[in-house]
Amino acid sequence: MNMSLLRVIRRLQSSFVAPQRPTLISTDAEKPNVEGREDANLFSLEYIPPQVQPEWHRNKLKYRLERMDCLRRRQAIDIPEFYPGSILAVTVADNYAPGKSMRFAGRCLYKDGFGLGCKFVLRNVIDNEGVEKMYHLFAPYIQKVELLRLEKWIDTDLRFLRDAADQSICEIDPNMQAESPLPKTEELPVYKGKIRLREIAMWEFLYHKQWPRPYNAYLEEHFIEEELIEREKIHWQTQSHLKYDICKHYDVTKIKAEIMDEMKDNRHRVDVADKKITADA
Amino acid sequence: MEILLRNFCLFSSASVHPRSLRLQRFAFSTTQCSWLPDRMRYDNQTFYDNVQIGYKRGHSNIRNRDRDIKKLQTRALQKLTRVRIVDNSPTALQPVIRSARIIEIYTKTKRHVGGVGDLCLITKNGAMKRAFIVGQRQSMGILKARMDSNNVIILDKDGNPEGTRITVPIPAWLRGYDPKKKHPISMSKLVAIASSFV
């Protein structure tokens, strides 16, 4: 019998069924970002304009243009999402440095300012000496912003870490390995631990007497029962109106929606404007 | 024309000094603070319309006001400020009987307030030493490091550092800093003995 005919018969006899190709469609891409962790090109906290009073004094055109410039800068370099408390490393151009650039790693203490004036402060302890450096987030001399660890604390102003009893919280190795942050589809756990402060003299800044009180600082030791009662009385007389101050609780939900609508179109606008500039030049 | 003539007459008369002419002085939002630089004329760059005298640096020009205020805000070290000596000079290593304090700051103006990059005279254990400020608690704005203590290194008569090692990081912008002081400071030697820069 012919061999080729045999082969054909054998193939027909076998009960082999070719498996179907597995579908490799990931569901992550379909998931939307968690609220509060939007794409930075669409929304970020520094896009919220400052509250200027009276309202007609606000320059809305300036705010829009500044947001577009932020977007431009974000297209040029990769600025990661970070919050006060997360660990960053910033590389800055420096003429006098050996490689013409300087790297500084540290924990972010706070971040404020609108648009191009957005500033953040990094703190590190080098040779038992606390060092803080402030940067403009969208400055042209910033070459690289690396996110070493993504953390979010309850407080947005961590300047009490200067007075921490154990300074090792801010002691960051500059050669630290970057940890991969949580994907934006998952909600970030908020750090709720308490940091113990050193003994603070009477004439220094008293954290336990200020409002708002830092949550992440351990201040319970300052409170004696009698003092608490007295303080509450004083607080009620002098400070109690502060929490009803609408300016302090700036509701941004409406503004946020407007900004996100605007930023969706802004990318197109930026592209068109840049093309025009290059064509003219 | 009349105004011009009158002005001319006033200035030319020897009996009336132009400083006492309060009518000539006009300023928006001038503060009454004694520590703010007093500008005798509001904008000394504008003489008459369309006549520009050149740009003038210095405290008498109102256009430099922001810069001057910034200077005042960033400097925070004055007489009797406690400082930390951060090198291995013999002055730093000897036991503390009286803590180190600034007793003089060498500045161009008579405002005896200094910051990073200024020369000063300190005293420790009753001995006077010339020193150079390399770090301060006061924030100096963006890109300049703010330290947790006021740091100082000891210099000798020729402006060379007495120690051979600086134990804390020093600001990186001091590498490109040229202290135009009356007293000599050798910045290159200072930068050479630094352990790290921030």
Side-chain angles (χ1 to χ4, degrees), chain B residues 52-176:
Chain B
Q52 297 269 320
I53 324 172
Y55 173 74
K56 189 182 172 190
R57 296 185 74 231
H59 69 280
S60 65
N61 194 347
I62 193 78
R63 295 179 187 206
N64 296 332
R65 187 176 58 178
D66 287 358
R67 198 186 308 170
D68 290 349
I69 290 171
K70 175 90 180 172
K71 259 184 212 166
L72 292 177
Q73 284 171 350
T74 54
R75 288 172 185 179
L77 273 70
Q78 57 175 351
K79 278 182 189 176
L80 299 187
T81 303
R82 275 171 217 263
V83 289
R84 180 180 159 204
I85 307 171
V86 291
D87 55 2
N88 59 352
S89 60
T91 319
L93 295 176
Q94 65 189 214
V96 181
I97 301 164
R98 283 197 185 190
S99 56
R101 281 171 181 274
I102 291 177
I103 52 171
E104 183 65 71
I105 288 179
Y106 301 115
T107 49
K108 220 173 189 180
T109 57
K110 289 198 175 177
R111 196 165 283 120
H112 299 284
V113 189
V116 176
D118 277 344
L119 193 68
C120 64
L121 188 69
I122 66 163
T123 166
K124 190 191 176 187
N125 298 345
M128 291 197 293
K129 282 281 174 187
R130 203 164 271 174
F132 187 73
I133 303 168
V134 291
Q136 66 178 31
R137 271 183 76 91
Q138 177 77 16
S139 163
M140 298 178 77
I142 54 158
L143 286 179
K144 296 193 175 180
R146 173 221 180 259
M147 305 283 182
D148 272 4
S149 56
N150 296 320
N151 300 332
V152 126
I153 64 162
I154 306 284
L155 305 181
D156 59 12
K157 274 280 163 64
D158 307 325
N160 302 320
E162 266 192 10
T164 52
R165 195 167 51 85
I166 300 177
T167 53
V168 300
I170 73 167
W173 59 273
L174 286 181
R175 282 186 287 206

Side-chain angles (χ1 to χ4, degrees), chain A residues 122-140:
Chain A
L122 299 186
R123 180 184 166 85
N124 197 351
V125 179
I126 307 167
D127 301 338
N128 298 324
E129 176 75 2
V131 178
E132 278 167 33
K133 261 187 146 185
M134 188 193 279
Y135 297 98
H136 277 139
L137 186 58
F138 298 105

Side-chain angles (χ1 to χ4, degrees), chain A residues 70-88:
Chain A
C70 290
L71 191 64
R72 268 208 187 95
R73 188 63 193 153
R74 279 190 189 276
Q75 284 173 355
I77 67 163
D78 179 36
I79 298 170
E81 167 209 23
F82 69 94
Y83 304 95
S86 40
I87 298 174
L88 294 172

Side-chain angles (χ1 to χ4, degrees), chain A residues 153-167:
Chain A
W153 292 28
I154 282 198
D155 289 328
T156 48
D157 187 349
L158 306 178
R159 273 181 282 183
F160 60 81
L161 288 182
R162 289 170 183 170
D163 298 322
D166 187 12
Q167 285 287 328

Side-chain angles (χ1 to χ4, degrees), chain B residues 18-44:
Chain B
R19 280 203 171 196
S20 59
L21 283 177
R22 293 287 157 184
L23 284 172
Q24 294 287 318
R25 196 165 155 193
F26 167 71
F28 293 109
S29 69
T30 42
T31 37
Q32 297 299 313
C33 297
S34 60
W35 53 271
L36 268 179
D38 180 33
R39 276 82 164 130
M40 287 314 292
R41 295 184 187 81
Y42 178 66
D43 187 353
N44 62 14

